[in-house]
Amino acid sequence: MKLTDSNVIRFHLQVLYGISIKSLEKKRERLMISGSKIFGVPLENLPRCYIPEFGLVPCFLVDACSFLLERGGTVGLFRKPGCLARIKTLRAKLNRGESCLSTALPYDVATLIKQFCRELPEPLFPSELHAAMLKAQSLPNLQDRMAALQLLSCLLPARNASCLHYMFDYLAKVSQRCSENLMTSSNLAIVFAPCLLPPPNTTEMSEGRLELRVLVLRTFIENPHLFGKRPVIWC
């Protein structure tokens, strides 16, 4: 049986893995605001490009990742910070709708990507799914962990899923050049955990819980092909 309904996915998660999920809060409909601002703007208000494999992805993210893909061997990419003064100038230009990435430096663009993800009004992984993802990552059997995380990724809103799938596919390509850039999937997961899977409160900031967040991201970076793909489950 191919899963096509979130209730069926929730049922399988509960029965097979003992994972219950809070209902995703329905967000109030926002006024669609047209404009060029990039940072701190809801996904639905951003210019997005249709990428066949992923769906609608913010154009800034596509442009920035494409720029960095050609510079993927840069040592410490995403770990080393860019220049604050240059980043401030780039942000201002991007928020005015100006094209400026082609002449930017890799560390500056990498920092902009992290800021973009971190400053979204709502995290790309809704907070309602965090506990379930950490429980899935804690399952003792590797196959169960992978299957549960794959199912959970199918519960994300479409716009979030497209953005995250694109990001994980890109980060997988960066990690494949770790012999040059020294950024393994683990290193990238550590760097992106505060941006993609931020702890919602101080209780979730214990070392063990933070490590689980990193491991969730590492799993998706190493297996981007599983993200958002509904598996076939036989009853």
Side-chain angles (χ1 to χ4, degrees), residues 11-233:
F11 173 79
H12 278 89
L13 284 165
Q14 177 66 57
V15 171
L16 297 178
Y17 310 114
I19 297 174
S20 56
I21 304 156
K22 295 180 180 178
S23 296
L24 295 183
E25 291 184 8
K26 289 190 175 182
K27 310 300 180 185
R28 290 184 302 173
E29 290 295 324
R30 297 189 183 91
L31 179 65
M32 293 294 289
I33 303 171
S34 59
S36 57
K37 190 177 179 184
I38 297 296
F39 298 90
V41 176
L43 286 175
E44 61 266 32
N45 285 354
L46 288 167
R48 286 178 286 168
C49 314
Y50 178 73
I51 311 294
E53 186 180 349
F54 307 102
L56 289 170
V57 182
C59 296
F60 161 75
L61 205 55
V62 174
D63 293 342
C65 290
S66 298
F67 170 87
L68 288 180
L69 198 58
E70 299 175 3
R71 299 155 180 84
T74 304
V75 175
L77 191 63
F78 291 108
R79 179 177 57 80
K80 292 186 177 181
C83 169
L84 291 179
R86 289 197 303 263
I87 290 167
K88 184 177 180 180
T89 300
L90 288 169
R91 283 176 62 106
K93 289 182 177 180
L94 288 166
N95 278 334
R96 291 196 299 266
E98 298 180 24
S99 298
C100 58
L101 295 182
S102 61
T103 57
L105 297 180
Y107 296 126
D108 296 343
V109 177
T111 299
L112 286 171
I113 290 176
K114 291 188 293 182
Q115 289 181 352
F116 170 82
C117 295
R118 190 167 55 243
E119 294 176 19
L120 286 167
E122 294 161 4
L124 287 170
F125 280 110
S127 57
E128 295 91 340
L129 290 181
H130 287 201
M133 287 192 156
L134 301 194
K135 185 168 183 178
Q137 185 60 53
S138 301
L139 293 171
N141 179 275
L142 174 61
Q143 186 174 353
D144 288 346
R145 286 201 301 272
M146 298 286 287
L149 286 171
Q150 185 177 0
L151 284 169
L152 285 165
S153 73
C154 295
L155 294 176
L156 288 162
R159 62 174 69 94
N160 299 53
S162 295
C163 191
L164 283 166
H165 188 192
Y166 184 86
M167 277 295 300
F168 288 132
D169 184 78
Y170 164 70
L171 292 175
K173 292 182 173 72
V174 174
S175 70
Q176 288 165 7
R177 298 184 64 178
C178 63
S179 61
E180 303 168 68
N181 58 37
L182 307 182
M183 295 303 291
T184 62
S185 58
S186 180
N187 290 339
L188 289 166
I190 290 170
V191 169
F192 272 92
C195 309
L196 300 181
L197 205 57
N201 52 56
T202 54
T203 306
E204 289 293 323
M205 294 182 71
S206 67
E207 183 177 351
R209 301 292 281 179
L210 290 174
E211 183 180 358
L212 284 174
R213 290 174 186 276
V214 169
L215 289 173
V216 167
L217 296 188
R218 179 180 174 180
T219 297
F220 285 130
I221 291 171
E222 293 179 351
N223 304 277
H225 59 287
L226 297 181
F227 192 86
K229 305 295 183 185
R230 295 184 174 94
V232 176
I233 293 181

